Amino acid sequence: MLNLKQFEVWFVTGSQHLYGPETLKQVAANSQEIAQALNDSLAIPVRVVFKPIVKTPREVTEICQLANSAPACIGLITWCHTFSPSKMWINGLKLLHKPLAHLHTQHNREIPWHAIDMDFMNLNQAAHGDREHGFIMSRMRITRKVVVGFWQDQSVQKQLGSWCRAAAAWHDWQGAKFCRFGDNMREVAVTEGDKVAAQIQFGYSVNGYGIGDLVKFVEAVTETEVGKLVSAYEASYTLSVATAKLPEARALLGQAARIELGLRAFLAAGDFKGFTDTFEDLHRMTQLPGIAAQRLMADGFGFGAEGDWKTCALVRAMKVMAAGLKGGTSFMEDYTYHFDAQRSLVLGAHMLEVCPSIAQGKPSLEVHPLGIGGKADPARLVFDTPPGPALNASLLDMGNRFRLLVNEVEVVPAPQPLPKLPVARAIWAPKPSLEIAAASWIHAGGAHHTGFSQAVTTEMLEDFAALAGIEIAIIDARTTPRDFQQQLRNNEVYYALNKGWMS
């Protein structure tokens, strides 16, 4: 399972020698206190590590170089307790390759009106020290998150926590490997994309493998291993009555277990963080992976159906962002609509592969015919998703850039039972409405596959898009068709000019 405590962000405070040793000693003590409070905050999922205050260009450069080479460091939180001349930051910031958050705070919450003197003023200068710090990063066109407020406030810690989760996901992508079993589904456009451009932009690689490569691992699984996993299935899930009555049920569950064990072995051997498959390329596979994909996602792997490597990588990133939070994250698809005069709804599902981390209650383990693929009836977990806020996100290759599209939704109970639908599913009302959300999604070129989450927030995805240097378009309760389409047109101009400027 994913544990974000393996990562750390460094708390770096800027000052200068002008103020003398006593002031610098107090700056260090105050900075340590803030770093420790952030480290202890439940809102921040990684370790916050205090670093000695930086007072010279050499010290700034050294801390940035050390951050670049430290495997556990996923970014810096900077703060200027006093005035820290920005020219001393230039070389270090030029070299820094890790994400950066700029905390604009001060050690004291309130002004001590009756006691304040010039010594206090010289010590507590973040109000203009951080503006100097902000200027140089704007001048250098450095993307960063700016968080303003008192360091003990929950709102401040929550914003930093969101950034830390995005930084952890970005760190996880660097050097990550995703495998495609088979190729893209025939003639499907949105699941294609430029894998070389993605590797340059995002840091992960995507490579294809034949189904025969996987089958070798599947066939190497022993009967003993299969039996143990089938028993674990039966202990962990409710076996449906219909499946229990099937004479061949245990054999079909055994096939599914063998596939899961083979997949796990293949992914472990290749150090992969996710995979895609396609029902058009199964060959010696006995059934399409259903419960295998579901359980692997529950353990943190990315997944994309029908060769959709972009969604696979996005699901993995969202899994990292969501680690330790309430609510699950899954591969998803807008499957069919319920147009209702009062409130139109979406039924989200997929043929088999929806992660049980979003299940309400204990999933039902079922075997049913699939109707496509031409293989044995696959095993899958069937469940509903609990009501509450959620979002769908889609990563798109727009040719000249990547776009992250997000729609905030509200999951609701199914208006009526679904006794004949043997798949995991979620019912949601898109914001601001299905009609506006779907039209905006289509204008933006959004895919039918998404990463769905009841844990990841829009703020996390905004932070992640900023770290990745990509466009983000958000459909929420405030979206209007006119403004959203104008935003897309504006973005076309911005990214065209930005590409020219950067080149």
Side-chain angles (χ1 to χ4, degrees):
M1 301 299 288
L2 300 168
N3 177 18
L4 299 190
K5 286 297 182 183
Q6 64 184 299
F7 301 127
E8 57 191 37
V9 295
W10 292 1
F11 192 83
V12 179
T13 305
S15 188
Q16 58 178 315
H17 284 295
L18 173 69
Y19 304 106
E22 289 304 314
T23 297
L24 291 177
K25 183 179 179 180
Q26 189 62 52
V27 168
N30 292 350
S31 299
Q32 282 183 292
E33 182 183 355
I34 294 175
Q36 187 61 51
L38 297 179
N39 184 64
D40 294 340
S41 171
L42 296 178
I44 298 178
V46 303
R47 289 176 286 132
V48 178
V49 178
F50 169 79
K51 292 294 177 178
I53 58 174
V54 292
K55 307 169 292 298
T56 66
R58 175 176 289 183
E59 290 174 352
V60 173
T61 298
E62 288 176 352
I63 198 68
C64 290
Q65 290 176 321
L66 286 171
N68 285 339
S69 60
C73 177
I74 62 171
L76 305 184
I77 298 174
T78 62
W79 172 50
C80 294
H81 192 321
T82 61
F83 197 83
S84 181
S86 282
K87 287 175 67 176
M88 81 179 203
W89 286 84
I90 291 174
N91 190 57
L93 292 175
K94 280 174 62 179
L95 298 174
L96 184 65
H97 300 307
K98 298 290 177 78
L100 191 149
H102 182 183
L103 175 60
H104 184 42
T105 190
Q106 59 187 27
H107 183 255
N108 57 298
R109 181 188 289 273
E110 300 173 348
I111 294 174
W113 300 105
H114 299 291
I116 188 170
D117 56 17
M118 285 310 301
D119 288 339
F120 183 94
M121 295 279 276
N122 285 334
L123 175 63
N124 299 283
Q125 297 188 61
H128 67 292
D130 274 328
R131 293 170 195 263
E132 166 80 353
H133 192 49
F135 163 75
I136 200 62
M137 287 188 278
S138 294
R139 176 67 175 80
M140 296 174 69
R141 308 310 197 263
I142 293 173
T143 299
R144 74 280 190 192
K145 185 181 182 77
V146 178
V147 178
V148 180
F150 189 57
W151 52 277
Q152 290 181 338
D153 288 348
Q154 278 294 309
S155 60
V156 168
Q157 295 178 4
K158 186 177 178 181
Q159 289 178 72
L160 288 173
S162 167
W163 174 81
C164 287
R165 290 181 177 278
W170 178 247
H171 182 83
D172 182 75
W173 263 12
Q174 306 314 300
K177 297 164 59 180
F178 297 97
C179 66
R180 285 176 108 195
F181 294 115
D183 198 7
N184 192 61
M185 287 278 286
R186 300 183 188 106
E187 302 294 343
V188 179
V190 76
T191 51
E192 282 284 18
D194 188 336
K195 295 190 287 293
V196 173
Q199 189 165 350
I200 294 169
Q201 183 85 40
F202 300 131
Y204 63 73
S205 62
V206 181
N207 289 290
Y209 296 83
I211 296 298
D213 297 326
L214 172 59
V215 169
K216 289 178 183 178
F217 282 81
V218 173
E219 292 178 344
V221 176
T222 68
E223 288 298 326
T224 300
E225 292 171 318
V226 169
K228 287 181 179 179
L229 186 52
V230 170
S231 297
Y233 287 171
E234 293 172 331
S236 300
Y237 314 112
T238 301
L239 193 65
S240 72
V241 175
T243 299
K245 290 181 178 179
L246 281 174
E248 68 275 28
R250 194 165 182 86
L252 292 169
L253 291 177
Q255 292 177 6
R258 185 179 296 278
I259 291 170
E260 178 183 336
L261 291 165
L263 257 173
R264 287 184 181 276
F266 185 97
L267 296 173
D271 194 27
F272 294 109
K273 293 182 176 178
F275 69 100
T276 73
D277 62 13
T278 163
F279 62 78
E280 286 190 334
D281 195 0
L282 293 173
H283 297 293
R284 298 200 331 261
M285 295 282 287
T286 55
Q287 54 179 264
L288 181 65
I291 191 173
Q294 292 178 295
R295 284 168 52 87
L296 282 162
M297 268 192 285
D299 286 344
F301 285 91
F303 174 77
E306 298 141 30
D308 191 349
W309 55 270
K310 297 189 298 298
T311 303
C312 168
L314 178 60
V315 169
R316 168 66 184 193
M318 293 172 70
K319 288 282 188 182
V320 174
M321 288 182 235
L325 294 177
K326 183 180 179 181
T329 299
S330 178
F331 171 80
M332 186 58 74
E333 178 173 287
D334 293 62
Y335 225 100
T336 193
Y337 293 146
H338 177 68
F339 282 117
D340 184 271
Q342 300 301 315
R343 193 187 198 190
S344 296
L345 303 173
V346 177
L347 192 159
H350 205 257
M351 296 181 300
L352 304 170
E353 311 96 343
V354 175
C355 179
S357 67
I358 66 170
Q360 183 175 39
K362 192 174 184 179
S364 174
L365 175 55
E366 303 184 17
V367 174
H368 297 278
L370 187 58
I372 54 177
K375 295 293 181 176
D377 300 346
R380 82 293 302 267
L381 300 174
V382 178
F383 53 83
D384 292 302
T385 302
L391 57 75
N392 279 300
S394 176
L395 184 61
L396 310 163
D397 185 344
M398 302 304 294
N400 66 338
R401 67 188 186 279
F402 289 92
R403 170 182 288 164
L404 182 60
L405 181 60
V406 180
N407 184 200
E408 296 178 356
V409 305
E410 185 75 21
V411 178
V412 300
Q416 297 184 38
L418 300 161
K420 295 184 178 181
L421 185 63
V423 295
R425 61 268 177 153
I427 312 293
W428 65 76
K431 295 180 180 179
S433 68
L434 170 58
E435 293 75 13
I436 293 175
S440 300
W441 191 271
I442 289 169
H443 276 295
H448 53 292
H449 292 163
T450 62
F452 168 92
S453 184
Q454 293 182 300
V456 174
T457 65
T458 301
E459 183 180 10
M460 293 176 200
L461 293 176
E462 288 180 294
D463 290 340
F464 187 75
L467 293 177
I470 61 172
E471 176 189 8
I472 186 167
I474 299 167
I475 305 167
D476 59 17
R478 297 170 295 180
T479 298
T480 65
R482 180 182 294 113
D483 289 346
F484 188 78
Q485 291 175 54
Q486 185 61 50
Q487 176 194 343
L488 296 178
R489 288 190 287 269
N490 293 345
N491 287 356
E492 289 287 354
V493 176
Y494 169 81
Y495 282 95
L497 293 175
N498 189 54
K499 185 176 181 180
W501 171 265
M502 296 302 291
S503 62

